Amino acid sequence: MASDLRPPKAIVFDWDNTLVDSWECIHFANNATLRHMGLPEWTLDETRQRVAKSLRDSFPVLFGNRWEAARDFFYATFRAIHLDHLKPLPGSAELLKELAEHGVWLAVVSNKSGEFLRKEAEQLGWSRYFRRLVGANDASEDKPSAVPVLMALEGSGVAPGEDVWFVGDSAIDMHCAVNAGCAPVLARDIPPLPGEFAVYPPRCHVAGCEGFAALARELLVPISPF
């Protein structure tokens, strides 16, 4: 509930499927990699369920000692298509503009490669909204570690705590928020499934970017833009 949240001094967003719709592109590149490596393809639902960790954490488990070859193939495939498939989620652009006008420190912590993350933000014209865009491999550890969150807050003067919201769409995001000592906020159209967040529950759930904008308006007091 909003009453359980403090007004945020900083908001750290997940990227994929929190601000942009990435499932189609991720699914295509992942299945191309599975085929290339001689493994069965996944359904879209399987991709949604299985893709959460960063590549450097997930590919060694999936591909064993061939994981680096799989990584190189996946990156080449994804690099060729991701900007063409880039789709902001409804209300995301308006949300970021409004938050920036409130002077909130905005950052991203994603398990997408930092190279791809920053290219996508630039393509959308959103780089100006974020003080930090931290992707996979930018920090010594990826989500759910707290390390990339600390990197995202560098220079903000704000320490992880109840006035830092971590906003994402998945269990790994809520796990990361708890690890970093931030307030976990689940932002997606689908309500929490039974048992999905049993270990690391969100403080509240809102329906996507438009629902998050309504939540933020309840708690933010307008101040000068940064």
Side-chain angles (χ1 to χ4, degrees):
M1 297 174 59
S3 60
D4 296 330
L5 293 168
R6 292 186 191 174
K9 294 180 180 177
I11 300 175
V12 180
F13 286 96
D14 172 49
W15 184 255
D16 290 317
N17 308 301
T18 297
L19 294 173
V20 300
D21 182 353
S22 303
W23 282 123
E24 180 182 333
C25 189
I26 292 169
H27 183 60
F28 179 90
N30 193 70
N31 270 349
T33 305
L34 290 168
R35 286 196 307 272
H36 180 72
M37 302 301 290
L39 295 177
E41 296 181 28
W42 296 350
T43 66
L44 180 57
D45 282 345
E46 287 174 323
T47 299
R48 289 176 182 270
Q49 293 167 12
R50 297 180 184 183
V51 174
K53 294 182 178 181
S54 67
L55 187 149
R56 69 171 163 181
D57 289 338
S58 62
F59 268 35
V61 176
L62 184 58
F63 297 106
N65 60 12
R66 302 186 298 158
W67 80 270
E68 290 176 319
R71 173 200 62 195
D72 293 346
F73 186 89
F74 178 90
Y75 280 159
T77 303
F78 195 86
R79 184 177 289 111
I81 64 171
H82 74 116
L83 294 180
D84 293 332
H85 288 261
L86 192 56
K87 294 188 296 185
L89 284 170
S92 54
E94 295 82 0
L95 167 65
L96 295 174
K97 181 176 185 295
E98 186 171 348
L99 292 174
E101 289 171 351
H102 280 79
V104 182
W105 180 282
L106 300 180
V108 171
V109 169
S110 173
N111 275 345
K112 169 173 278 176
S113 163
E115 171 199 348
F116 300 144
L117 170 64
R118 286 181 284 276
K119 284 183 178 178
E120 291 181 7
E122 189 65 27
Q123 174 88 354
L124 292 170
W126 291 358
S127 297
R128 67 186 185 275
Y129 296 134
F130 296 111
R131 300 297 189 94
R132 295 282 186 277
L133 288 153
V134 181
N137 302 309
D138 289 338
S140 59
E141 300 174 9
D142 302 320
K143 289 190 301 186
S145 169
V147 173
V149 178
L150 297 175
M151 178 179 285
L153 293 174
E154 285 179 3
S156 68
V158 180
E162 288 296 308
D163 50 8
V164 177
W165 296 1
F166 193 107
V167 185
D169 70 307
S170 69
I172 201 168
D173 296 319
M174 303 303 100
H175 187 177
C176 184
V178 172
N179 281 348
C182 301
V185 177
L186 181 67
R188 68 184 194 191
D189 290 336
I190 302 170
L193 303 174
E196 184 180 7
F197 299 100
V199 181
Y200 302 103
R203 192 67 55 81
C204 69
H205 165 250
V206 293
C209 294
E210 292 167 344
F212 184 79
L215 170 67
R217 289 186 198 111
E218 288 183 35
L219 297 176
L220 287 172
V221 177
I223 60 175
S224 300
F226 60 72

